[in-house]
Amino acid sequence: MQFTAKQISEFLDGTILGDETVEVGELSKIEDGVPGSLCFLSNPKYENYLYTTQASVVIVSNTFVPNQAIKCTLIKVKDPYSSFSVLLEKYNQALNQDSAKSGIDQPCFIHPTAKIGKNVFIGAFCNIEENVVIGDNCKIYTQIYIGRDSVIGSDCTINPGVKIYNRTHIGNRVTIHANTVIGSDGFGFAPQADGTYNKIAQIGNVVIEDDVEIGANTTIDRATMGSTFIRKGAKLDNLIQIAHNVDVGAHAVVAAQTGISGSTKLGERSVIGGQVGIAGHLVLGKGTQIGAQAGINFNTEENKQWHGSPAQPLKEWMRSTVIFKKLPEVDKRIRELEAKITELTAVIEQISTLQEKNER
Amino acid sequence: MQFTAKQISEFLDGTILGDETVEVGELSKIEDGVPGSLCFLSNPKYENYLYTTQASVVIVSNTFVPNQAIKCTLIKVKDPYSSFSVLLEKYNQALNQDSAKSGIDQPCFIHPTAKIGKNVFIGAFCNIEENVVIGDNCKIYTQIYIGRDSVIGSDCTINPGVKIYNRTHIGNRVTIHANTVIGSDGFGFAPQADGTYNKIAQIGNVVIEDDVEIGANTTIDRATMGSTFIRKGAKLDNLIQIAHNVDVGAHAVVAAQTGISGSTKLGERSVIGGQVGIAGHLVLGKGTQIGAQAGINFNTEENKQWHGSPAQPLKEWMRSTVIFKKLPEVDKRIRELEAKITELTAVIEQISTLQEKNER
Amino acid sequence: MQFTAKQISEFLDGTILGDETVEVGELSKIEDGVPGSLCFLSNPKYENYLYTTQASVVIVSNTFVPNQAIKCTLIKVKDPYSSFSVLLEKYNQALNQDSAKSGIDQPCFIHPTAKIGKNVFIGAFCNIEENVVIGDNCKIYTQIYIGRDSVIGSDCTINPGVKIYNRTHIGNRVTIHANTVIGSDGFGFAPQADGTYNKIAQIGNVVIEDDVEIGANTTIDRATMGSTFIRKGAKLDNLIQIAHNVDVGAHAVVAAQTGISGSTKLGERSVIGGQVGIAGHLVLGKGTQIGAQAGINFNTEENKQWHGSPAQPLKEWMRSTVIFKKLPEVDKRIRELEAKITELTAVIEQISTLQEKNER
């Protein structure tokens, strides 16, 4: 795949500066540019790379004016990052001819009652149980399990090894990465008088709405009763734990290794960092932002930022951590104050004694 | 499935209050009750829902007396939560007719030396190696690996994608959720003089006793020598790391994403929150309780509660975190004290000078 | 398998003390020694066990001199731990006759264009895609997926359920444990004006160099562009998250449940504890050491030790945490100082008033 700067510029509806006949065949980051590669400059922090990059073509903003001589060809567009994303997507489609696959690889175990849509690919060693419904254009890669009565919409991509327990509902254009588990039992046990536990049967399910993406080795437990929800457009990273009856709001973004405990409702458009722990039975407002490794055990208002464990508002946490780091100094200052007070007390006593003597 | 309030009350050995002919066909939480659903009231915090719920039947305690008019039928029992659990379990059995499956789905790879008990179900694409023994009434769902010389007791449920390395011993009535790994190598490497590492062969195994439940995508490493133990009745959630030679005590409960390092012994009936980290070579006493995200690097006495990282006793940690949040104020107070001391020192000096002058 | 103390001593090039005809058939830890077992003593902390162990043979250092009577036979060697490791490895080979397997178990799905080396074992239900290359002497256990255009060197062990996305490059002598995912999409989404997110296609891959070992249920994301690198000799434990474009340095060791965010470069020979969180776009120097549960959001110099979240140098963190635990006391001391100051101020005012009066 080789394209000229001119072809790419026309495709992106851009304006060209420099040699429009130069050819590129790969995409790279500006700091890794090599001859024949195309990259983009969006963040001004990376501008210096523009003057040294070996890349043949760089996509920049319409408003960008170089302050030094450059060797590469520029393509000016409205939003360089978006334009580059479009090229990445095209390149990805070309790379992954898998995505053009359809049909069913053998051996597969597909129950005769399962309904498979048009133009679906199912890889070898999949196990599709009774009454499963799979919509059109889905890619169900290899070694996947889909339990009975589950429904998957159209245009979904389920990667190798994903296990979907029975009665799960998945919308359209959902992507799930390898070895993720959807619909395992919630962690519910009733303590008994003798110190043992009885299992609470988990009769609910998991509902995943349209346009959700879920990373690898993530676990989403079914509800005790009712449903665990992952709402429209939410994005979950790898190794995340979503407990029973959690409701992850629309377009929420959750980074890797975060855990959300049972029955908590995460507001839409929330942004949650990695390794965050969120306690159960909470309601976190829309647009809640939580920094990496924070621990939340209270409800939050809309659009607030939280850090630390236990969590505080961003600014307060920053101030507290700054002083935390100085605690040895704080301790020293207190000791000095104590010494000083002792000293002053002695001096004052002396003065006082003298004064009394003078009085007499 | 429709049952009258009367039928359910008789099944639970309860006392009925209200219309005993009303029919219910599903279970729900009291706050989600709809006509035709049955729910329970155990926690007094939820009592208000009783007066507004649309549920047809609510299970309550024998000692409960409503303080307002109610529309639904009440069934009074000794322990509403336990009674409801029994119904959940019945409902679950009806839902999961899978659990009535037996026989071996094809294709399967079962070594001719493997011994399979009576009334066992083995799903497609399982790989059961040499000398494996599987007890009666086990459900070995699909895409599971059981390594050579492993022994599984009776009435176990192994969910899709579980990988059990060789020589693992599993007791009776054990449930393991999807994609969990049992018996992977412990993380043992000997540092060499040149800064590289040599692998320490891990020749031990994993022993899981009766009535254990293990969540999804959890990892339990084999012992270097001897065994890693998960004792009778212990319950492990999802995404937990159990390192080599750990010994998880009987009826211990461990929440998601917690990690226990090598050779640590967790006392029986311990209750460990999510995302807790426990260092290696420790002995934690019976009934140890550890709050979410805590970090433990010392042995603990029986029945103590720990929070924070590094961990403290519950009360001390609460006091410390309260003041941590006020550290900016603490800093301000110290600065004020310092200013005050400087001021007082000046005043005292002045007084002293004057006094000396007066002396003369 | 039974060997005399003499046979083992000769094999290890050691010196024997005691009965050289005693036979051993298993390896154990010194604290678990039983008759017929062989163990080692390296750490002086365990010396007391030597005088009570039931083990038949104990490997000790050439320089070791017992200070009490002993019942077992000693074998003296230069480095007891290394010698014992050699025996563990031998024992392991004898136990795992699987490792002698070769050939392809059926059913398997192997694309006709895949190139499989000599003496390779491929277990049942594996899915090996177009153009995959697998080197000599590899063990590809069961239920594994290897995506198109991936290349695996020689002498690798890939355990059951591992999923390797397309275009991954793996070197020689690499071990990957069960259900680990290599090459899943990086977590890249471009926020849109309407609050939704557009997926950024991830066109890079993962490169794993020689002699790497990776634990179970770990996830390593492909690069957005270019490669995510796990360099020569690095050792990763279970349930670790390695994000897109991360570069894990040669011979780095990373404990379980740690997460490294996008584009961070971890220096060679780093040692990272469990549950550590490392932010994105950082450069951590060679030999960086990070304690369990720490959080790092800054670049680090070579060979420094970090603890806490946010992280501090080891000594400072220790001092800060000591005082953190005493914060209630710190608060009390400040209140006492404040009271004292109020009191002194009153006394001084009194003195001052008196002095003024005396002046007049």
Side-chain angles (χ1 to χ4, degrees), chain B residues 311-355:
Chain B
Q312 294 178 263
L314 176 59
K315 277 185 194 168
E316 292 175 28
W317 174 79
M318 284 180 74
R319 278 191 231 121
S320 286
T321 53
V322 163
I323 298 166
F324 175 81
K325 290 186 178 180
K326 291 186 196 158
L327 279 182
E329 195 197 305
V330 163
D331 187 58
K332 192 168 157 249
R333 283 161 69 196
I334 294 176
R335 270 185 283 117
E336 283 168 3
L337 283 168
E338 286 166 342
K340 208 73 187 253
I341 288 271
T342 307
E343 202 184 296
L344 286 186
T345 308
V347 172
I348 289 169
E349 228 157 80
Q350 214 179 334
I351 292 173
S352 201
T353 313
L354 201 57
Q355 201 174 41

Side-chain angles (χ1 to χ4, degrees), chain A residues 85 96 98 101 105 125 142-143 159 177-179 213 217 238 257 269 275 293 324 331 338 355 359, chain C residues 125 127 129 144 148 163 165-166 179 194-195 199 217 221 239 241 276-277 294 309 320 333 351 358:
Chain A
S85 296
N96 292 301
D98 284 4
K101 271 188 181 177
D105 280 355
F125 315 120
T142 184
Q143 300 152 339
N159 283 287
H177 281 283
N179 283 348
E213 181 152 345
N217 276 346
N238 301 338
Q257 296 180 317
R269 296 173 215 280
Q275 298 183 333
Q293 296 191 320
F324 175 82
D331 187 58
E338 287 166 341
Q355 203 173 38
E359 287 288 289
Chain C
F125 314 120
N127 190 328
E129 294 284 349
I144 288 162
R148 51 182 292 164
K163 311 303 177 199
Y165 281 56
N166 57 14
N179 283 348
D194 65 353
K199 165 99 176 175
N217 276 346
D221 281 351
L239 292 167
Q241 153 73 353
V276 168
S309 175
S320 287
R333 283 161 68 196
I351 292 173
N358 290 346

